[in-house]
């Protein structure tokens, strides 16, 4: 080998090493599916039910959610089982206020109501950089001690990639009403869509929201947004800031959807398709909701996030 060709070979080996470190792979166990970027985790989806903290009512056992979720450097950017809302579980979804069969329907979100819940129902497919799972939103129509009725049969596809320094996660949810009655969603301030709880250490002094309209935690609740970013220190590396942006696809029902945010310092977020206008899913009908998460190290500004949203809409 000539001395001239050595730098070229070194560059090629460096590129191959970098590509291997950024390649997304799937790790599967009986309890969870974990997407990895090289040796660094991106997210974990729970197949098995995860119990709440010791001493807390086991009604809060839950499967079918994502936690932890990580920034590219590895820091954790989700929170779980906060003592103010034990049913908050990293990244998840569920309907809250419903009507069914002519009366008040099940609440799939607030588990302590004991009228409904969301649960993992099976693995449909696994891919090198993603997976598709079956989930169910079930109702305890005859009480919490009787086998529940499946109202919505769900297919959730989660795929990840590492793009220009960001963990990019596509979250595509298809919900089919497999019952005999319409499931009606009256207009309500939260529920459905996609929900996110930030690290429990986030507060008014170290975190905030930024929406596509330039709003923050003080004025963003009930607004509409193409994307919403939340930022603060990661749990693993408390001195490092990360940004979690959630993008709403323009083809979603009622897009750009209304949002629910909190102004108390804690970071909770929800895209709400029914915040302004009621909606329903008829028997046999399937509705699909699409979101993308972009997770970056550091605090990222509006210009970068708007460009990410435009890329998302062009790709899908």
């Amino acid at each position: 080998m000539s001395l001239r060709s050595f730098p070229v070979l070194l560059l090629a080996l460096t590129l191959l090493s970098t590509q291997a470190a950024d390649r997304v792979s799937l790790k599967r166990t009986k309890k969870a599916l974990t997407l990895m970027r090289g040796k660094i985790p991106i997210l974990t989806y729970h197949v098995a039910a995860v119990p709440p903290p010791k001493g807390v009512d086991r009604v809060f056992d839950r499967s079918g959610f994502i936690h932890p979720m990580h920034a590219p450097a590895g820091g954790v950017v989700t929170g779980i089982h906060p003592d103010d809302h034990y049913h908050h579980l990293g990244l998840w979804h569920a309907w809250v206020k419903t009507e069914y069969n002519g009366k008040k329907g099940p609440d799939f979100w607030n588990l302590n109501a004991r009228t409904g819940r969301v649960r993992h129902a099976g693995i449909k497919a696994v891919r090198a950089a993603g997976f598709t799972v079956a989930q169910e939103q079930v109702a305890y129509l005859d009480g919490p001690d009787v086998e529940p009725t499946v109202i919505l049969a769900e297919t959730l596809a989660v795929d990840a990639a590492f793009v220009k320094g960001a963990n990019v996660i596509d979250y595509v949810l298809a919900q089919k009403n497999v019952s005999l009655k319409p499931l009606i969603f009256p207009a309500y301030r939260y529920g459905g869509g996609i929900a996110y709880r930030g690290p429990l250490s986030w507060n008014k002094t170290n975190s905030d929201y930024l929406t596509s309209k330039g709003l923050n935690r003080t004025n963003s609740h009930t607004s509409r947004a193409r994307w919403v970013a939340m930022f603060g220190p990661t749990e693993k590396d408390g001195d490092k800031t990360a940004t979690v942006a959630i993008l709403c696809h323009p083809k979603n029902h009622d897009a750009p959807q209304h949002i629910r945010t909190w102004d108390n310092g804690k970071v909770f977020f929800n895209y709400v398709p029914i915040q302004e206008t009621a909606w329903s899913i008829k028997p046999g009908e399937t509705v699909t909701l699409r979101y993308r998460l972009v997770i970056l190290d550091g605090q990222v500004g509006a210009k970068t996030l708007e460009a990410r949203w435009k890329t998302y809409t062009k790709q899908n």
Side-chain angles (χ1 to χ4, degrees):
M1 178 187 299
S2 70
L3 291 177
R4 288 183 179 180
S5 63
F6 182 75
V8 176
L9 177 60
L10 183 61
L11 177 60
L13 291 174
T14 301
L15 290 173
L16 288 173
S17 177
T18 301
Q19 290 172 357
D22 291 341
R23 186 177 298 119
V24 178
S25 63
L26 176 70
K27 179 181 178 182
R28 180 177 179 177
T29 69
K30 291 182 179 179
K31 292 185 176 182
L33 300 171
T34 300
L35 291 174
M36 309 282 295
R37 179 175 60 84
K39 296 181 179 180
I40 302 175
I42 296 173
L43 62 84
T44 296
Y45 169 86
H46 292 274
V47 170
V50 176
K54 186 177 180 179
V56 176
D57 194 330
R58 293 297 296 269
V59 72
F60 294 106
D61 284 14
R62 173 80 143 74
S63 61
F65 66 93
I66 291 172
H67 172 81
M69 193 164 62
H70 301 261
V76 175
V77 292
T78 47
I80 186 175
H81 291 142
D83 57 14
D84 57 343
H85 292 77
Y86 286 120
H87 54 279
H88 282 191
L89 298 161
L91 187 73
W92 78 104
H93 63 268
W95 293 103
V96 181
K97 188 175 183 180
T98 72
E99 295 175 4
Y100 188 77
N101 198 21
K103 55 186 177 181
K104 182 179 179 180
D107 180 344
F108 305 101
W109 178 296
N110 294 289
L111 300 177
N112 59 338
R114 290 175 165 80
T115 61
R117 64 170 48 245
V118 180
R119 64 187 184 187
H120 172 79
I123 298 172
K124 298 173 74 71
V126 293
R127 300 174 286 282
F131 53 85
T132 302
V133 293
Q135 297 189 162
E136 296 169 339
Q137 296 207 31
V138 301
Y140 295 93
L141 299 178
D142 299 311
D145 298 322
V146 179
E147 179 64 22
T149 299
V150 179
I151 306 295
L152 297 178
E154 303 182 335
T155 298
L156 173 64
V158 176
D159 291 276
F162 187 66
V163 183
K164 296 181 180 179
N167 289 340
V168 177
I169 302 160
D170 283 332
Y171 191 100
V172 182
L173 174 65
Q175 300 178 320
K176 181 178 181 180
N177 185 345
V178 294
S179 75
L180 300 177
K181 303 290 183 180
L183 182 64
I184 299 169
F185 311 119
Y188 197 58
R189 66 183 183 276
Y190 71 104
I194 191 170
Y196 166 79
R197 183 71 191 243
L200 307 190
S201 60
W202 287 10
N203 56 55
K204 282 188 176 180
T205 65
N206 66 8
S207 68
D208 207 344
Y209 302 80
L210 174 66
T211 79
S212 57
K213 291 186 176 181
L215 306 180
N216 59 31
R217 66 162 32 100
T218 66
N219 55 7
S220 57
H221 177 55
T222 72
S223 66
R224 291 182 183 269
R226 296 188 299 275
W227 52 262
V228 176
M230 293 141 283
F231 52 84
T234 63
E235 285 197 345
K236 184 178 179 182
D237 305 296
D239 59 336
K240 294 182 179 179
T241 297
T243 299
V244 178
I246 304 181
L247 288 54
C248 179
H249 197 280
K251 292 182 180 178
N252 282 345
H253 175 75
D254 200 41
Q257 291 171 346
H258 285 278
I259 63 174
R260 176 153 172 78
T261 56
W262 286 355
D263 63 1
N264 62 4
K266 301 171 184 179
V267 175
F268 163 76
F269 171 76
N270 184 202
Y271 263 123
V272 191
I274 44 80
Q275 199 173 80
E276 184 176 5
T277 307
W279 194 27
S280 68
I281 306 178
K282 302 177 179 64
E285 182 182 10
T286 299
V287 301
T288 300
L289 295 169
R290 298 175 176 85
Y291 303 96
R292 171 172 285 184
L293 291 95
V294 179
I295 307 171
L296 301 109
D297 294 312
Q299 183 174 334
V300 181
K303 184 176 180 180
T304 296
L305 296 172
E306 185 67 17
R308 295 273 185 174
W309 185 81
K310 289 179 179 178
T311 297
Y312 176 42
T313 59
K314 290 178 182 177
Q315 290 175 342
N316 296 271

